[in-house]
């Protein structure tokens, strides 16, 4: 029988840590003086003691390592339990959100999706706004750990191609994975503080700079205002674009960078591919906008850079309502969101490396067709791609497409129109944030959707954030028999 105690112990500890994190918004509410701080005292105590009791109840089952089944359950269980407890301040706070709305918001935060069901953000207590930022920041660092430690081990979506790269090639410099995790956390903190200082220098107040830095570096996209990043214009957009781009790069390369490998980023085909993709997309959108606003080239360049970087990284900030730019840019934004950033970053969606592996396989197949007697092996970064990696990547594409279609159909069955259903499915599954159309587009939010649609999107956010297969495998009968 599967022993759930090691899984419960780790989940309990993480829930308790989430309770401790509620101290920060509590202090913010006390400083603001609006009297909402008891909400975080109550939520924090429930979360801390609830997690502690779970950990204590499972402590006698702690072992040195986890089985493959326990690892799958832990990976999914964390992202199921944390949003439930993270939703408490929304239900008990000024929003007095219903259960479905609170869980939707917490799931959107921890998966760094950035979709919101709240309106009137400008008037909410600062503690709740800070809590939304903290949820995304914790989710950002959490998904890096999952991508670097769990998914390669679980052979999910081709991530096993990074297993040896992440831990073996560091050699004597970083012989243990724990050291890598520690350095990644340090780099994540450094980028966050650097982003805060940059926003402060560009005119944001301390609170706005802090919350937006938390949601920029995590590529989450929660803002303190209904207008999102449209509240800030000019140089702040360039700064946000820069940090969103950095957050979408593989953090393991930063670790190599600080350990004496100055060309680590340049040598990574993911990074080169991501940079080229962003540059091309920005150029295309810039030309399209110039056709509409021919006398505002600087603004066109800034809005193109900001919104393309925001969408492709999965951040989901919006500085303008790009639905007014015409059908071509809108369609381009939709498909841009399905590209994503680099593996091992805080970015979401399919990821650049999977497209590179797919194109390498297609190129090799075309060569075989032209030269039937030749031997052509698809390669990635100069190395042959193993068969199990290609099967894993192809399975990911298949399941992503299938899930996308099922979610879109399910949303349409709740009464949503075609654009809302399709773009909502893409936004949730790829963890982008805003969808398209008048309802959930960059100028709207998800508050008016029916409860069934919100639950469907909540599940899609979880499935997409954990790269589909990590969730689907635990739904199989053989998983529980093993």
């Amino acid at each position: 029988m599967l022993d759930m105690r090691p899984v419960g112990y780790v989940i309990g500890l993480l829930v308790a840590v989430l309770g401790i994190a509620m101290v920060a918004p509590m202090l913010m509410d006390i400083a603001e003086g609006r009297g909402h701080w008891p909400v975080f005292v109550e939520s924090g105590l429930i979360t801390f003691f609830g997690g502690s009791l779970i950990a204590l109840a499972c402590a006698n089952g702690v072992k040195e390592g986890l089985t493959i089944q326990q690892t799958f359950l832990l990976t999914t269980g964390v992202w199921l339990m944390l949003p439930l407890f993270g939703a408490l301040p929304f239900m008990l706070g000024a929003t007095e959100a219903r259960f479905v709305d609170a869980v939707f918001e917490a799931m959107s935060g921890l998966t760094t999706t950035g979709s919101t069901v709240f309106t009137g953000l400008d008037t909410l207590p600062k503690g709740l706004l800070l809590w939304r930022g903290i949820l995304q920041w914790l989710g950002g660092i959490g998904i890096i750990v999952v991508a670097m430690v769990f998914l390669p081990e679980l052979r999910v979506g081709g991530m096993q191609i990074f297993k040896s790269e992440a831990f073996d090639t560091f050699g004597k410099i970083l012989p243990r994975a724990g050291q890598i995790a520690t350095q990644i956390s340090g780099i994540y903190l450094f980028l966050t503080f650097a982003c805060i200082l940059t926003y402060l220098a560009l005119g944001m107040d301390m609170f706005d700079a802090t919350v937006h830095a938390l949601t920029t570096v995590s590529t989450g996209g929660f803002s303190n205002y209904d207008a999102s990043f449209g509240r800030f214009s000019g140089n702040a957009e360039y700064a946000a674009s820069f940090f969103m781009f950095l957050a979408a790069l593989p953090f393991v390369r930063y670790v190599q960078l600080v350990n004496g490998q100055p060309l680590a980023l340049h040598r990574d085909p993911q990074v080169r591919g991501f940079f080229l993709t962003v540059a091309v997309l920005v150029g295309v959108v810039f030309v399209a906008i110039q056709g509409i606003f021919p006398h505002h080239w600087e603004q066109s360049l800034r809005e193109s850079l900001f919104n393309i970087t925001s969408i492709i990284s999965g951040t989901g900030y919006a500085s303008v309502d790009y639905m007014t730019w015409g059908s071509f840019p809108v369609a381009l934004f939709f498909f841009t969101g399905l590209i994503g950033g680099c593996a091992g970053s805080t970015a979401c969606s399919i990821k650049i490396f999977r497209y590179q592996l797919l194109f390498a396989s297609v190129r090799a197949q075309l060569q075989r067709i032209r030269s039937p007697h030749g031997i052509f092996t698809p390669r990635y970064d100069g190395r042959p791609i193993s068969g199990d990696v290609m099967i894993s990547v192809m399975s990911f594409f298949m399941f992503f497409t299938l899930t996308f279609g099922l979610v879109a159909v399910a949303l349409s069955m709740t009464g949503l129109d075609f654009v809302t259903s399709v773009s909502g499915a893409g936004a949730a599954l790829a963890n982008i944030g805003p969808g398209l159309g008048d309802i959930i587009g960059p100028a709207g939010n998800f508050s008016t959707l029916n409860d069934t649609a919100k639950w469907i999107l909540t599940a899609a956010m979880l499935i997409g954030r954990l790269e589909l297969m990590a969730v689907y495998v635990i739904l199989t009968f053989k998983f529980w028999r093993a």
Side-chain angles (χ1 to χ4, degrees), residues 84 99-101 103-104 450-460:
L84 294 177
F99 180 66
V100 59
D101 291 327
V103 174
F104 180 99
N450 58 74
D451 289 356
T452 303
K454 290 174 183 175
W455 282 122
I456 293 171
L457 291 170
T458 300

Side-chain angles (χ1 to χ4, degrees), residues 111 147 263 310 321 407 425 442 465 480:
T111 58
L263 298 178
S310 176
D321 183 4
V407 172
R465 181 76 277 193
W480 297 98

Side-chain angles (χ1 to χ4, degrees), residues 78-143:
V78 167
W79 257 264
L80 277 173
M81 291 297 293
L82 292 185
L84 294 177
F85 285 95
L88 289 175
F90 300 130
M91 290 188 288
L92 302 176
T95 59
E96 296 183 350
R98 296 177 305 126
F99 180 66
V100 59
D101 291 327
V103 174
F104 180 99
E105 195 78 5
M107 182 67 77
S108 179
L110 282 164
T111 58
T112 69
T113 302
S115 305
T116 183
V117 293
F118 293 157
T119 57
L121 296 175
D122 309 53
T123 61
L124 284 183
K126 288 185 175 180
L128 280 177
L129 295 174
L130 178 60
W131 180 237
R132 295 167 82 242
I134 289 174
L135 285 175
Q136 293 206 320
W137 192 82
L138 293 174
I141 186 65
I143 202 61

Side-chain angles (χ1 to χ4, degrees), residues 369-403:
I369 293 174
R370 290 195 302 266
S371 304
H373 300 293
I375 299 176
F376 304 99
T377 304
R379 293 179 174 272
Y380 179 80
D381 198 16
R383 295 172 297 175
I385 305 172
S386 63
D388 68 318
V389 170
M390 284 309 309
I391 291 173
S392 185
V393 170
M394 295 299 183
S395 299
F396 179 89
F397 273 106
M398 184 194 73
F399 274 99
F400 188 93
T401 304
L402 180 62
T403 305

Side-chain angles (χ1 to χ4, degrees), residues 161-356:
I161 198 172
F162 300 108
K163 182 178 178 181
S164 61
E165 184 175 345
F167 299 112
D168 295 344
T169 60
F170 283 90
K172 298 180 181 179
I173 298 176
L174 291 171
R176 294 187 298 274
Q179 289 178 292
I180 298 177
T182 300
Q183 291 205 19
I184 285 177
S185 300
I187 292 167
Y188 193 69
L189 281 168
F190 172 79
L191 288 178
T192 304
F193 282 114
C195 191
I196 292 174
L197 294 176
T198 303
Y199 283 155
L200 284 173
L202 294 175
M204 289 190 190
D205 61 40
M206 187 63 187
F207 180 73
D208 282 341
T210 300
V211 174
H212 285 90
L214 294 176
T215 59
T216 298
V217 175
S218 63
T219 62
F222 274 159
S223 177
N224 296 336
Y225 305 97
D226 289 333
S228 188
F229 218 85
R231 180 66 175 258
F232 315 99
S233 60
N235 291 332
E237 291 174 276
Y238 288 119
S241 301
F242 176 72
F243 282 102
M244 286 188 291
F245 185 89
L246 292 182
L249 301 182
F251 273 66
V252 70
R253 297 306 181 199
Y254 294 137
V255 175
Q256 291 177 317
L257 201 63
V258 299
N259 282 276
Q261 299 185 38
L263 298 178
L265 283 171
H266 172 71
R267 289 173 177 169
D268 192 332
Q270 278 195 103
V271 176
R272 298 195 302 270
F274 183 65
F275 180 84
L276 179 61
T277 302
V278 171
V280 170
L281 290 172
V282 169
V284 171
V285 174
F286 170 73
V287 172
I289 299 177
Q290 277 295 96
I292 305 173
F293 310 106
H295 304 298
H296 301 86
W297 70 268
E298 187 278 332
Q299 182 179 355
S300 298
L301 177 61
R302 172 164 38 89
E303 300 296 355
S304 302
L305 175 64
F306 178 87
N307 287 284
I308 282 293
T309 307
S310 176
I311 293 297
I312 196 172
S313 66
T315 307
Y317 284 142
S319 60
V320 294
D321 183 4
Y322 45 74
M323 294 296 296
T324 62
W325 289 354
S327 58
F328 172 69
V330 170
L332 189 64
F333 277 132
F334 176 76
F335 289 106
T336 296
L338 300 181
I339 297 175
C342 300
S345 70
T346 62
C348 316
S349 199
I350 293 176
K351 305 289 193 313
I352 285 288
F353 88 94
R354 291 194 177 98
Y355 287 102
Q356 291 175 318

